[in-house]
Amino acid sequence: MKNKVLRNMAIPGVVAVACAIIPALLIQAGIIKGYPAQIITLGAINAIMAISVNMICGITGQLSLGQAGFEALGAYAVILFTANCHIPLGVSIVIAGLVAAFFGFLIGFPTLKLEGDYLAIVTLAFGEIIRVVLVNLKGITGGPNGKQFSTLMTTSLDFGATLSYLTIIGTLVLIIIFLQNFLRSTYGRAILSVREDEVAANSNGISVFLYKMIGFVIASFIAGIGGALYAAFIGFVKPDLASFNNSINDLIYVVLGGMGSITGGILAAFVLTILQESLRFLKDFRLLIYPVILIIVMLFRPQGLLGTKEMSFVKIYDGISDFIRNRRLNNGRK
């Protein structure tokens, strides 16, 4: 039993380290050039945003259309704390996530008693309010022209791309580990029960509003972290980051990957980010790709690529091991 637990921990750990180290070495060696490295790193940021949306929409069971607003809050917060308050970048990123979580609490407290379309409309309005406020606070945010931000990630140093990738992919891995353990805890199972049936959960003594709030605040925190990493990586932020279109793009990752599937949303985020950049030669026509993909998925796979299931590297490893073992047995019989 102990060996099985260690194996179940070791296999995902090895995969996570390989996903972080191998591309970083290829970037450092120049095999993966600057532009592809930037796209892969941007895909990791989009994957963090997909996790944020999945936390509130797929896991908590609420429809939010304003996660880009929390991303923008995190992006501007990390700029203010780092550039104006001279707080180290790593600490500023965590504080930016806490700022977004605080606003998530303020927004969630009066609105999470709403359901369905009403909650979606309120969160949509919140995102637009954030965008308008950022446009008009010209002295702090730079107004509609945006605000520049220079960090070690945005410098032209040879190891800048490698450092950016390692920082962002490392944060993504930590978020995945945190969420997977959280969802297996008592609080996580309570949130899942609220998603499945609020009436049954309430009748069993589970505070529906409390666990909705916990899920919403965690999703806001993750979105704030994503925004902070985006600002540190791109080096420039505009209020349009909080736009409705960005919220919809983040929601598309989750719809395609599967509502409730963390690995499905991550996979969809990477695939669509790379696909969008690969089709730039189509110019504006590439904007038709998302609707076409959505239509195809809704027709043939309405639950998304993975549905509510998670990609298990342990099961993949067991499947490969069984296949190799069977091949050896068959060859031995021959």
Side-chain angles (χ1 to χ4, degrees), residues 140-159:
I140 300 175
T141 65
N145 294 325
K147 199 171 184 67
Q148 289 187 341
F149 183 44
S150 179
T151 66
L152 196 59
M153 289 188 187
T154 56
T155 60
S156 58
L157 297 173
D158 292 337
F159 59 87

Side-chain angles (χ1 to χ4, degrees), residues 36-50:
Q38 186 178 23
I39 299 309
I40 294 172
T41 308
L42 188 61
I45 295 175
N46 290 337
I48 292 174
M49 289 306 303

